[in-house]
Amino acid sequence: MAEVEYGECMSIDLARQNLLQDRSIRGSQFTRQLSDSADHWLESLFNDAIGKRSDIALLAVGGYGRQDLSPLSDLDVLLLHRKTEDISEVAEAIWYPIWDQGEKLGHAVRTIDETLELSAEDLDTATALLSCRHIAGSKKLSEDLFSLALAQWRNNARSWLPRLAASIEERHRAKGEIAFMLEPELKEGRGGLRDVHAMGWANQSGQDSLELEHHQLLESYEIILRARVELHRSAKRSSDKLLLEQQDAVSEALGYEDADFLMADVASAARRIAWNTDELCYAIQNAGLFGLWNFGKKVGDTLTGRRKSVSTSYESNAALSVEAVLRISVTTANNQERFTPEVIKQLRKAELDIPDPWTTEIRDLFVELLLTGHDAIPVLETLDELNLFVPFLPEWKPARSRPQRNAYHRFTVDRHLLETAAEAAKLQDRVERPDLLVVGALLHDIGKPYPGDHTEVGIELIRIIGKRMGFSPDDVETLVQMCQHHLLLPDIATRRDLDDFDTIQTVANSLQSVQKVELLHALTEADSIATGPAAWSTWKAGLVYDLANRTSAFLKGGDGSIMERTFPTEQQMKMMRRGMIRVEGEGDTLTIMEIDRPGVFGRVAGALSLCGLDVLEAVAHTDFGMVLSVFRVTPSTTREIDWNSVCVFVQDSVRGRVAIAARLSDRMKTYHLQSSQRFPERVVGTDVKIDNDTSSTATVIEVSAPNGMGLLYQITRALSSLDLNILSAKVQTLGADVVDSFYVLDNGGKKIVDQTHAEEIREAVRHAIEISTVMQRKSNDR
């Protein structure tokens, strides 16, 4: 489509509105046309105000200078002069018409000397001048400034570039990584627009710092710029954070099938930009290694505080074999290095012919690379960036930059798999077969990008992959079972009673060997840590450890009950036998021991909600006419927990002195919780299961639902209303969802076998979930 001309005298606001209405104009086409319109308008204002003068010039700087004006960007300009006496009057004559139009103006008035003096000390000013562009007035004055600013930047490259690298890393820490954030910061985040600007500034330094794939960077830049332009267009507010509720509108405007495709493209583009930025920072920080400037060291020598490069460890003109690529990768990871530019040049030329099945040497080198842990991640991501990883694992391609848009996972699918393998490498001393551990970790979610149940798909893929890697049939079967059962230990540990013999027997029957228990135990820990902070805690670690140890003991010939109790402890059992009453809070944990009566567990949960504490995990046990409950909580605000007040309030609530239901209803009027409805993907679906097979002694009711204030109270209240006796309970928060399990008996001490009774229980629990959800929705809508 031909670019639209809006005329020289058209105001910037009118030009912007015309552009905004034309949905076919996107990305850089939009920003260039808006910048051109701004140029015409400002030039007209300048000429109307002061006419033609040789001692003054108006320049665009920063994003405006780059012609990167998004719909809501500021107009950053510099009024340059040669010590002009009437410059204040000139400036006012230009600025006021701009302000009168309601435009956001970033402005400065300086001479060339003043500008260069400031840019010699201030990084932001120095880089802003690298994109300065003449708008009106003396063109020679503008050209003089640009040439002097560029010369100053190049002359001071030795000091500026390390400061540039440090500022990039500081910004990344502050703004996060675009590829892995649910709500990415498109401009300042790692892999965002600012990183491409920084690479441009580095290249303008005149140092041969890095061989960049410019066309790929431009494509990646365009993807993120288009998203930013549409974000401004749809949000109508100046923000570069792409919020979840805005992603559908932005994806639709850009012609995507849905927001998942948009975010996958954004993640992929951001990762390419981030990789190039990392290479730039590495090159700057290790400049003496690469000969960017002369520090009196030969290429390959070790600088103070720097590690030795591996760039001279092979013949640079020799073709790289599969084994050579892996050996260089292992050496680089072991040295905690990145590939040097020389190595990258060679890798770009590599054409891998990987045999099927792999040779033992290839498999051993691949495993050795994974076992280096987190130091392998930048190496593997570089291989992937250079299209050298998919030849090893063709099934990997759909996982690239695949988003997981929920509150639980912090990484894309491919990065999650790499992180899990890296965490698993830390645990290699806990298992007999570290090779199976790290390979199983790398592949456990390989089925996620494919249609269907990701575990079932993963099983079929791993049968193919394991055979291709050259593993024996028995080892392939172990890898398959690691995928098949990778959620078994955490699900059982957090949802089932570990003192129930049936629980231990169920896990043992599934895994069948101590070796597989050890592998699954290590994989569970690695997978949970790699998932995100909400997926792992010392509490959960203790439950999984207890389950794994009991199962191993059972498989070795015991009964699974010989392990020391973790909950209740032997000391707690003695106290319950004596009928002791306790309410204690410490750290993030509340422990209550009370006479067993209907609704105790739920009343405690309700009281904690009223105290502004969100329940992350909870367990309960009844015996000797007593109930013991332990809750791990987090404050809904940043304040510390006043355990003295909380314990008193909990005790009053348990003894029926607090109108919990009424107060919860009132509290919801002012309470706002991060609703799971904000997240496109739920961690678990809403469901109520009644299970009589898991335990021979009790009925297990498992409830999964969106989290909400008072939900646990509403569910336990519903169970109590049907005269059910809760023997034990497990509560787990998964992002914005919860999974609660209750071991119950009816008022006659029997399991729930009558289907009519079971359906009434489902109906009561569903109603409790609906009450909590409706209350939450009304609260969030306020």
Side-chain angles (χ1 to χ4, degrees):
M1 176 180 172
E3 293 192 355
V4 181
E5 294 292 342
Y6 291 110
E8 294 186 356
C9 296
M10 180 180 290
S11 74
I12 181 64
D13 183 60
L14 182 57
R16 183 188 293 112
Q17 293 308 315
N18 288 339
L19 284 168
L20 287 171
Q21 290 172 17
D22 190 343
R23 292 278 180 173
S24 67
I25 301 177
R26 301 168 176 169
S28 58
Q29 185 185 17
F30 183 103
T31 61
R32 284 195 305 270
Q33 291 196 38
L34 184 58
S35 297
D36 289 344
S37 297
D39 289 353
H40 295 322
W41 183 56
L42 292 177
E43 182 183 15
S44 177
L45 291 178
F46 183 94
N47 292 334
D48 289 346
I50 62 173
K52 294 186 177 181
R53 291 179 58 164
S54 61
D55 60 341
I56 301 176
L58 184 65
L59 292 83
V61 296
Y64 179 26
R66 290 187 299 272
Q67 291 192 302
D68 260 1
L69 273 188
S70 290
L72 301 178
S73 296
D74 294 357
L75 291 173
D76 293 325
V77 296
L78 169 64
L79 189 62
L80 196 65
H81 65 100
R82 298 187 190 276
K83 297 184 178 180
T84 303
E85 292 184 1
D86 63 341
I87 192 63
S88 295
E89 292 81 359
V90 169
E92 289 181 0
I94 299 172
W95 302 156
Y96 275 100
I98 299 174
W99 289 328
D100 288 343
Q101 289 286 327
E103 293 298 321
K104 291 178 292 184
L105 180 68
H107 59 90
V109 181
R110 301 190 191 102
T111 64
I112 288 182
D113 289 343
E114 289 169 343
T115 304
L116 293 176
E117 182 180 359
L118 180 60
S119 66
E121 301 294 332
D122 182 67
L123 178 63
D124 290 340
T125 302
T127 54
L129 292 177
L130 295 177
S131 59
C132 68
R133 185 169 51 79
H134 177 76
I135 298 175
S138 171
K139 193 167 187 179
K140 184 179 185 307
L141 192 58
S142 297
E143 290 172 346
D144 287 347
L145 174 63
F146 178 74
S147 61
L148 290 170
L150 180 60
Q152 181 174 266
W153 175 255
R154 289 178 171 174
N155 290 338
N156 296 327
R158 245 179 103 168
S159 61
W160 274 131
L161 291 182
R163 287 175 64 180
L164 177 63
S167 73
I168 290 171
E169 292 176 350
E170 182 179 356
R171 173 168 49 79
H172 288 173
R173 286 192 294 270
K175 298 296 184 179
E177 188 152 2
I178 289 177
F180 307 137
M181 296 181 70
L182 285 168
E183 298 180 328
E185 173 69 47
L186 298 177
K187 183 178 179 181
E188 302 285 347
R190 182 171 181 263
L193 301 176
R194 184 65 78 207
D195 281 351
V196 179
H197 306 157
M199 283 184 271
W201 301 329
N203 281 344
Q204 286 179 276
S205 70
Q207 306 293 331
D208 184 19
S209 56
L210 186 66
E211 180 182 345
L212 300 174
E213 290 289 331
H214 292 285
H215 68 283
Q216 292 184 344
L217 277 177
L218 289 176
E219 290 173 0
S220 299
Y221 186 84
E222 183 68 20
I223 288 171
I224 295 179
L225 181 61
R226 285 187 170 208
R228 185 190 187 215
V229 168
E230 295 308 320
L231 172 61
H232 282 202
R233 196 196 302 256
S234 63
K236 299 179 181 179
R237 63 184 180 86
S238 183
S239 173
D240 294 319
K241 177 172 282 193
L242 183 53
L243 301 177
L244 281 161
E245 56 262 33
Q246 298 165 332
Q247 290 170 12
D248 287 331
V250 171
S251 65
E252 182 180 357
L254 291 174
Y256 285 96
E257 184 177 334
D258 60 38
D260 281 350
F261 288 96
L262 164 68
M263 299 312 294
D265 267 5
V266 167
S268 180
R271 291 178 73 173
R272 172 159 285 137
I273 292 170
W275 179 82
N276 279 280
T277 308
D278 288 346
E279 293 299 313
L280 169 67
C281 291
Y282 180 78
I284 291 171
Q285 293 162 351
N286 295 270
L289 295 177
F290 305 151
L292 303 191
W293 42 71
N294 182 15
F295 284 123
K297 293 280 185 178
K298 296 179 181 179
V299 174
D301 285 355
T302 304
L303 293 175
T304 303
R306 300 294 179 192
R307 294 173 290 276
K308 193 168 184 179
S309 165
V310 299
S311 61
T312 57
S313 63
Y314 68 99
E315 294 294 331
S316 60
N317 293 325
L320 292 179
S321 65
V322 175
E323 292 82 359
V325 168
L326 288 173
R327 278 195 292 272
I328 292 170
S329 299
V330 169
T331 303
T332 303
N334 278 327
N335 288 347
Q336 298 180 311
E337 288 284 355
R338 300 181 72 87
F339 292 124
T340 66
E342 293 92 338
V343 171
I344 289 176
K345 288 179 182 178
Q346 287 300 107
L347 290 173
R348 291 188 190 279
K349 302 174 186 176
E351 296 182 5
L352 301 184
D353 183 15
I354 303 174
D356 185 357
W358 295 1
T359 64
T360 301
E361 182 181 11
I362 291 174
R363 186 177 69 250
D364 289 347
L365 285 168
F366 188 85
V367 168
E368 186 179 356
L369 178 57
L370 294 179
L371 286 170
T372 61
H374 280 91
D375 292 319
I377 291 179
V379 173
L380 290 166
E381 291 201 323
T382 298
L383 292 178
D384 199 23
E385 177 67 24
L386 301 175
N387 293 315
L388 294 177
F389 190 63
V390 168
F392 288 96
L393 287 175
E395 297 81 4
W396 186 265
K397 191 171 183 178
R400 280 175 162 176
S401 302
R402 179 81 174 201
Q404 303 190 78
R405 301 175 65 217
N406 59 56
Y408 201 49
H409 290 87
R410 58 177 170 165
F411 292 121
T412 52
V413 173
D414 54 344
R415 183 59 180 266
H416 171 70
L417 294 175
L418 294 178
E419 291 282 344
T420 304
E423 292 293 339
K426 297 178 183 178
L427 309 176
Q428 57 186 284
D429 293 338
R430 284 180 14 188
V431 299
E432 292 181 16
R433 293 289 302 274
D435 57 335
L436 295 180
L437 173 61
V438 291
V439 172
L442 183 70
L443 301 178
H444 77 281
D445 272 345
I446 195 67
K448 270 195 172 178
Y450 295 84
D453 181 271
H454 83 275
T455 299
E456 294 177 2
V457 175
I459 288 171
E460 297 306 314
L461 292 176
I462 290 171
R463 293 192 194 280
I464 298 169
I465 296 169
K467 183 178 179 182
R468 184 194 307 133
M469 286 181 165
F471 283 108
S472 69
D474 286 347
D475 287 347
V476 172
E477 189 56 33
T478 297
L479 292 171
V480 164
Q481 291 195 26
M482 289 178 70
C483 173
Q484 180 181 357
H485 298 304
H486 72 275
L487 297 176
L488 179 67
L489 294 186
D491 283 354
I492 294 293
T494 57
R495 303 178 190 181
R496 298 295 180 260
D497 186 351
L498 303 190
D499 289 325
D500 189 333
F501 176 76
D502 296 328
T503 299
I504 307 304
Q505 190 173 44
T506 296
V507 177
N509 289 340
S510 296
L511 302 184
Q512 298 181 338
S513 74
V514 173
Q515 182 193 69
K516 289 174 185 172
V517 173
E518 292 174 345
L519 286 169
L520 262 296
H521 185 191
L523 175 58
T524 295
E525 182 172 335
D527 183 23
S528 299
I529 293 172
T531 295
W536 195 245
S537 63
T538 53
W539 180 307
K540 186 173 180 179
L543 293 174
V544 172
Y545 175 84
D546 189 17
L547 175 60
N549 279 359
R550 287 172 184 253
T551 304
S552 293
F554 177 83
L555 289 168
K556 290 175 182 178
D559 62 4
S561 63
I562 63 173
M563 306 303 299
E564 183 180 349
R565 278 182 178 270
T566 57
F567 179 81
T569 64
E570 293 300 326
Q571 180 63 28
Q572 287 171 334
M573 289 295 288
K574 290 179 181 177
M575 294 171 68
M576 292 175 73
R577 189 178 292 112
R578 295 172 185 168
M580 299 179 69
I581 294 175
R582 291 283 189 276
V583 182
E584 300 171 339
E586 182 178 359
D588 64 353
T589 303
L590 174 84
T591 303
I592 177 168
M593 191 178 295
E594 180 60 73
I595 297 171
D596 188 17
R597 57 172 67 90
V600 170
F601 187 79
R603 289 180 185 180
V604 176
L608 292 173
S609 288
L610 289 171
C611 291
L613 300 175
D614 297 329
V615 177
L616 300 178
E617 296 162 316
V619 290
H621 180 81
T622 59
D623 222 338
F624 311 114
M626 301 289 291
V627 59
L628 170 67
S629 301
V630 180
F631 295 78
R632 189 170 77 88
V633 300
T634 184
S636 54
T637 64
T638 56
R639 64 180 176 80
E640 293 185 2
I641 302 173
D642 180 358
W643 279 120
N644 289 332
S645 298
V646 170
C647 289
V648 170
F649 188 76
V650 166
Q651 197 161 48
D652 286 344
S653 299
V654 167
R655 295 177 180 177
R657 297 174 183 172
V658 177
I660 297 176
R663 295 184 67 168
L664 276 173
S665 179
D666 186 60
R667 179 64 61 86
M668 286 297 294
K669 296 176 183 177
T670 58
Y671 182 84
H672 182 85
L673 182 72
Q674 186 181 44
S675 171
S676 63
Q677 293 177 349
R678 292 189 64 236
F679 298 96
E681 296 178 5
R682 293 275 306 283
V683 180
V684 293
T686 301
D687 197 11
V688 180
K689 298 177 182 176
I690 297 181
D691 177 7
N692 278 308
D693 297 326
T694 294
S695 172
S696 60
T697 59
T699 296
V700 179
I701 301 174
E702 183 175 300
V703 182
S704 52
N707 197 7
M709 184 179 184
L711 174 63
L712 184 56
Y713 168 74
Q714 296 290 353
I715 292 173
T716 54
R717 187 184 186 196
L719 298 180
S720 296
S721 71
L722 292 171
D723 246 4
L724 298 179
N725 182 24
I726 300 175
L727 303 180
S728 63
K730 291 283 184 72
V731 173
Q732 183 185 21
T733 300
L734 304 173
D737 297 299
V738 295
V739 178
D740 301 341
S741 299
F742 306 92
Y743 281 66
V744 303
L745 293 175
D746 64 16
N747 56 8
K750 298 180 180 180
K751 295 173 68 173
I752 313 301
V753 294
D754 181 71
Q755 290 303 308
T756 301
H757 190 189
E759 188 54 43
E760 288 299 311
I761 294 172
R762 287 192 188 92
E763 186 61 31
V765 174
R766 289 189 193 115
H767 181 64
I769 295 171
E770 182 63 23
I771 291 174
S772 176
T773 303
V774 169
M775 292 172 66
Q776 187 64 60
R777 189 181 299 121
K778 288 180 178 178
S779 174
N780 288 348
D781 287 344
R782 288 189 178 94

